[in-house]
Amino acid sequence: MIYLDANATTPLGAPARDAMTAAMAQFFGNPSSLHGRGQAGRAQLEHARQTVLAAVGGAGGKIVLTSGATEANALAWHGVLADRRQRHAVRVVTSAVEHPSIGALAAQLRTSGVEVIAVPVDAQGRLDMRAYAAALAEPTTLVSIMAVQNELGGIYPLAELARLAHQAGAVFHTDATQAPGRIPLNFHGMGVDLASLSAHKAGGPAGVGALWLRKGQRVTPLVAGHQEDGLRGGTENLLGIIGMAAAFAGLSQQLSGMAQVRVLRDRLWRGLVAAAGPLTRNGDVAPEDETGHVLNVAWPGVDGARLVRSLDLEDVCVSSGAACASGTQEPSHVLLACGHAPAEARAGLRFSLSAATTPAEIDEVIALMPRVLARGRRPAS
Ligand code: PMP
């Protein structure tokens, strides 16, 4: 199997697997219990929290552990807005290329009458900074812009975006799900107020994540309860949290492998151009503006979802659009936002590499692509 779908989820890495396996036998206590077993669990929980906090440059801030980035996004949005709404009218500025979990929050809030502005992007997925500044000209409560685009790999300028948001009096949230291990993170230094994280894009298990909060940043909880300092009720997913911390402890090592990942990603692009052209590239920006682990391409007139299935027959795992929207056969909302027609947006195919990707795997994918394309081009029977 050749797995080139790291943005959908990464396989469980050895550090997380080993830590979780060991913890499974040892730490069954409820961290809220007063006895030794419970307190052993509590100690693990707090240790894990500190590990995650340090790994994201979150000094002085707070980590609220959640079921993943989707919940962290919801806690950030609803939590900030509920806190403000008691006193003021609220307004949100976000981008047109956020993950569907943010898109769903925007839709939900619009239904209840909240103004949510989606800032457009250019043809390669870069945020339109003039439109961003214009959106902030009106009183804004919350700004939410992702750190790394999940379909394209583009990096958004968080420090600058946060500075402008603060100038306008808004709180700045980022969905940083795709960032850990791919770009250096220093939420505190970047001026971010809230950041959503997930374990399963960085070698941790799915079903666990966190919301980082700057010191003093208030949120109203979505789930009431005494756990997580009153910000997220429910008995903690200790095993998952231990797995997340073990994965995040290795983020700087993951980061140091990114230069090699970029070499392989570029080899894939050049190889596909030579062996299976003509094709176009989406999210084609300067190297410093993208992570280097994503290649999003399109063969004109060939449906991306068909290519995913065709590659699957060759035991190669990739995505068309975001995994969460796959299966719906809807064109990618990200490629539509880049100005592509629906048919072009359906043609997008995303390869997302990881440190586990080998040159031999890349060469094999390049070699089998002409055959896969021929199958993808045949009329559907
Ligand atoms: N945001 C982004 C940018 C993502 O890529 C994903 C995962 N596809 C999520 C949020 C949702 O994360 P989780 O699966 O932890 O809920």
Side-chain angles (χ1 to χ4, degrees):
M1 193 254 299
I2 300 179
Y3 189 79
L4 299 177
D5 205 11
N7 279 12
T9 195
T10 49
L12 197 63
R17 191 194 54 219
D18 294 349
M20 290 169 77
T21 308
M24 210 176 281
Q26 270 178 292
F27 300 114
F28 62 84
N30 184 330
S32 296
S33 298
L34 291 179
H35 49 64
R37 283 288 175 179
Q39 290 310 298
R42 157 82 40 207
Q44 289 293 313
L45 178 66
E46 294 313 322
H47 180 70
R49 190 189 311 285
Q50 292 311 318
T51 304
V52 174
L53 194 61
V56 296
K62 185 176 184 138
I63 288 284
V64 179
L65 293 154
T66 65
S67 64
T70 300
E71 184 190 330
N73 285 339
L75 178 58
W77 277 50
H78 286 306
V80 166
L81 298 182
D83 186 55
R84 294 294 179 92
R85 222 169 181 171
Q86 293 158 4
R87 288 162 280 140
H88 308 281
V90 295
R91 180 172 179 272
V92 181
V93 170
T94 185
S95 85
V97 293
E98 298 295 314
H99 184 261
S101 59
I102 292 280
L105 285 167
Q108 194 183 37
L109 285 168
R110 284 190 187 112
T111 311
S112 62
V114 175
E115 189 185 4
V116 182
I117 306 292
V119 176
V121 295
D122 72 8
Q124 302 301 336
R126 285 170 293 234
L127 199 70
D128 179 337
M129 293 302 282
R130 285 176 65 171
Y132 180 69
L136 291 176
E138 276 182 54
T140 303
T141 318
L142 175 71
V143 175
S144 184
I145 308 283
M146 68 203 319
V148 170
Q149 216 300 314
N150 50 304
E151 294 187 32
L152 302 173
I155 301 170
Y156 294 100
L158 292 188
E160 175 66 358
L161 294 169
R163 190 182 66 76
L164 293 169
H166 290 155
Q167 245 174 34
V171 168
F172 186 81
H173 165 252
T174 184
D175 173 358
T177 304
Q178 296 288 354
R182 276 93 182 242
I183 60 169
L185 284 178
N186 177 1
F187 291 141
H188 187 76
M190 286 165 164
V192 168
D193 299 310
L194 307 102
S196 300
L197 298 164
S198 182
H200 74 109
K201 316 287 182 176
V208 58
L211 181 66
W212 175 81
L213 302 167
R214 174 176 293 280
K215 188 166 190 242
Q217 177 60 52
R218 285 173 24 174
V219 284
T220 301
L222 291 176
V223 184
H226 73 271
Q227 291 90 350
E228 297 299 292
D229 217 4
L231 293 178
R232 201 259 185 183
T235 304
E236 301 85 348
N237 168 13
L238 189 55
L239 271 188
I241 291 165
I242 287 171
M244 179 173 185
F248 273 49
L251 286 187
S252 46
Q253 207 185 333
Q254 290 189 36
L255 203 54
S256 59
M258 284 304 287
Q260 181 56 22
V261 172
R262 183 183 290 271
V263 168
L264 293 181
R265 193 280 312 267
D266 291 347
R267 177 178 178 135
L268 177 60
W269 167 240
R270 283 196 306 271
L272 291 178
V273 169
L279 74 166
T280 57
R281 184 164 172 183
N282 298 312
D284 193 4
V285 298
E288 62 273 22
D289 292 333
E290 50 105 12
T291 57
H293 79 290
V294 178
L295 181 65
N296 190 313
V297 293
W299 280 273
V302 188
D303 187 67
R306 282 193 78 185
L307 289 180
V308 170
R309 285 191 290 271
S310 190
L311 278 162
D312 191 36
L313 294 176
E314 308 279 348
D315 220 8
V316 177
C317 303
V318 301
S319 272
S320 63
C324 316
S326 294
T328 60
Q329 305 289 321
E330 288 296 315
S332 151
H333 75 287
V334 174
L335 296 181
L336 289 177
C338 292
H340 292 287
E344 292 168 347
R346 272 197 195 88
L349 189 72
R350 178 189 73 186
F351 299 89
S352 46
L353 284 59
S354 75
T357 309
T358 65
E361 289 178 329
I362 293 299
D363 293 344
E364 197 177 326
V365 171
I366 294 166
L368 56 79
M369 207 60 217
R371 178 165 80 236
V372 166
L373 266 174
R375 216 184 289 138
R377 283 196 173 109
R378 272 207 296 270
S381 51

